[in-house]
């Protein structure tokens, strides 16, 4: 049993944030998706040569990927779940499983990746900003 159980209101707010955030990405609204990172936010995805640092760089890197996928006729959907939420001093640490599905006319829908997602969220009014995101792909060393 976890030592800290997140209050239901906090869990609901974070679940709502992730639903909104991932739907922005999946519908190609990557500029808005990137705005959910702090100005000095970090996106560290396994398989990339190095972490992307700063909201502006996260925005441009994400736009490049979204454009490439759209050009290839590929649609991606992200599902985050089984979140373990730990409030810390002024932030919240969230560990989730994330599945990435990929659909195309040629290949139908397939599971593209099974990952873990480790976020540090900071409050931003009545929502959240991501200070750091670390994504690790299952089976990749």
């Amino acid at each position: 049993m976890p030592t800290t159980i997140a209050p239901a209101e906090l869990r609901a707010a974070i679940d709502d944030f992730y639903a909104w955030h991932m739907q922005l990405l999946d519908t190609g609204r990557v500029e808005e998706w990137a705005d959910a990172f702090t100005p000095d936010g970090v996106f560290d995805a396994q398989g990339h040569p190095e972490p992307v640092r700063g909201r502006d760089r996260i925005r441009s890197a994400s736009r490049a990927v979204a454009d490439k996928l759209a050009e290839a006729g590929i649609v991606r959907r992200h599902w985050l779940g089984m979140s373990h939420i730990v409030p810390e001093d002024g932030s919240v640490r969230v560990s989730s499983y994330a599945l990435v599905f990929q659909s195309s006319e040629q290949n139908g829908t397939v599971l593209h990746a099974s990952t873990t997602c480790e976020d540090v969220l900071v409050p931003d009014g009545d929502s959240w900003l991501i200070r750091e995101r670390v994504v690790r792909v299952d089976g990749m060393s």
Side-chain angles (χ1 to χ4, degrees):
M1 186 65 132
T3 56
T4 304
I5 298 175
E9 186 175 296
L10 175 62
R11 176 170 293 283
I14 288 174
D15 285 347
D16 188 55
F17 169 78
Y18 282 124
W20 166 78
H21 190 243
M22 289 297 116
Q23 288 179 29
L24 288 174
L25 181 63
D26 292 343
T27 58
R29 296 165 56 193
V30 295
E31 290 77 13
E32 293 172 78
W33 176 84
D35 285 344
F37 284 82
T38 60
D40 62 346
V42 175
F43 185 87
D44 180 4
Q46 188 175 15
H48 294 196
E50 60 186 45
V52 181
R53 298 181 186 282
R55 181 188 289 158
D56 291 338
R57 288 186 175 164
I58 292 169
R59 182 181 293 114
S60 61
S62 299
R63 171 49 55 204
V65 170
D67 289 348
K68 182 179 174 184
L69 291 171
E71 189 175 301
I74 295 171
V75 173
R76 283 197 180 155
R77 298 287 184 243
H78 293 75
W79 178 87
L80 271 70
M82 305 212 27
S83 299
H84 179 65
I85 300 166
V86 179
E88 296 180 338
D89 256 353
S91 66
V92 177
R93 186 169 298 277
V94 183
S95 302
S96 302
Y97 292 143
L99 299 176
V100 183
F101 296 92
Q102 186 164 291
S103 300
S104 68
E105 192 172 317
Q106 182 179 7
N107 297 318
T109 300
V110 297
L111 177 62
H112 174 70
S114 172
T115 72
T116 59
C117 182
E118 302 279 337
D119 281 354
V120 176
L121 305 178
V122 294
D124 181 49
D126 60 353
S127 189
W128 303 95
L129 291 175
I130 302 161
R131 185 170 57 210
E132 180 179 19
R133 172 167 288 165
V134 177
V135 178
R136 296 293 173 247
V137 179
D138 295 344
M140 182 183 273
S141 50

